[in-house]
Amino acid sequence: MKIKHLFFAASLIACATVAFAEGSREIPVNRGANETAVSFGYSAESNSQFYPRWFTAGVRVSGGFFSFIGKEADYVGWKHPGSAVDVGPVFRFRLNRIFEIDPAISFAYRYHKYNRDEYSLKFQEYLIQIPVVARANVYDGFFVGAGIQLSPIVYSKNKATSYGFPTEFNSSNPEFGGIFELGYAFTHFAIDARLYAAATDYSDNDIIGVWKGLTYRPLVVSLGATYLF
């Protein structure tokens, strides 16, 4: 599947979630005695304050840049990032009015290509991502989050060519790393900016690793949209 097809599908999903979310924004407010609180959750104190449900589920789609960090990551072109997309279900467990836990499962695709005078690299991977993010709602819909992610690699076709000698190599499987995010939430819709950095290195038997003794790890910066049913 070509990357442009994945981006097109992700764009359609994102547009659909925005369309469904239009008109659904509902900010928690103190209501008067004669008003009725309409919400997807439950209310307390005679509907005087809105409280969300303790559990909801939805769909998240994101797209962004795929690059690298680590020792001398310039050799694998960290300044020339590739692309990354993912889509899948998300599950929200609200602990109280401030804190929530968001586990998810998503199908992801990454692509990166880099050329230097003496060698060239091409990374192409399909992964199952399993992130678990803890969020804190800090002010009027704005939230911050941090968590971990386990990513079993379903398929990879990574190639390197150095001075005319080609080789194929794989990254560590499964991949593991950390997440940091910032975002804004409506009632059924949320947008976020997410940074993911892997803690596991690519295997050191690739031609660049053997030649240069490098260690480098995946880095993904993405924008995401979530629709909660």
Side-chain angles (χ1 to χ4, degrees), residues 68 73-82 111-123 159-163 208 211:
F68 301 93
D74 184 54
Y75 281 98
V76 289
W78 74 273
K79 294 181 181 180
H80 307 273
Y111 180 85
H112 172 75
K113 188 175 182 179
Y114 179 61
N115 295 304
R116 291 177 66 123
D117 293 337
E118 66 274 25
Y119 62 86
S120 63
L121 292 165
K122 182 179 180 181
F123 299 83
K159 297 181 178 181
T161 301
S162 179
Y163 295 104
I208 305 302
W211 179 40

Side-chain angles (χ1 to χ4, degrees), residues 86-160:
D86 66 85
V87 61
V90 61
F91 310 96
R92 175 161 299 174
F93 296 89
R94 186 172 291 277
L95 307 180
N96 51 46
R97 292 178 60 192
I98 298 177
F99 297 104
E100 62 191 47
I101 303 293
D102 289 21
I105 302 174
S106 62
F107 177 75
Y109 174 78
R110 298 175 184 168
Y111 180 85
H112 172 75
K113 188 175 182 179
Y114 179 61
N115 295 304
R116 291 177 66 123
D117 293 337
E118 66 274 25
Y119 62 86
S120 63
L121 292 165
K122 182 179 180 181
F123 299 83
Q124 186 174 1
E125 298 178 337
Y126 295 88
L127 310 91
I128 300 296
Q129 297 181 159
I130 309 174
V132 179
V133 179
R135 283 181 174 176
N137 298 287
V138 293
Y139 177 75
D140 192 28
F142 291 96
F143 61 83
V144 296
I148 58 175
Q149 178 172 294
L150 181 68
S151 303
I153 299 173
V154 178
Y155 172 80
S156 65
K157 191 175 183 180
N158 302 327
K159 297 181 178 181

Side-chain angles (χ1 to χ4, degrees), residues 164-211:
F165 295 97
T167 186
E168 294 188 6
F169 59 96
N170 298 318
S171 58
S172 300
N173 197 359
E175 183 184 288
F176 180 79
I179 292 172
F180 178 76
E181 68 174 8
L182 299 171
Y184 186 82
F186 301 88
T187 299
H188 295 283
F189 182 66
I191 55 176
D192 63 77
R194 179 174 290 188
L195 171 69
Y196 166 75
T200 51
D201 294 325
Y202 270 76
S203 57
D204 58 6
N205 63 345
D206 66 89
I207 196 167
I208 305 302
V210 172
W211 179 40

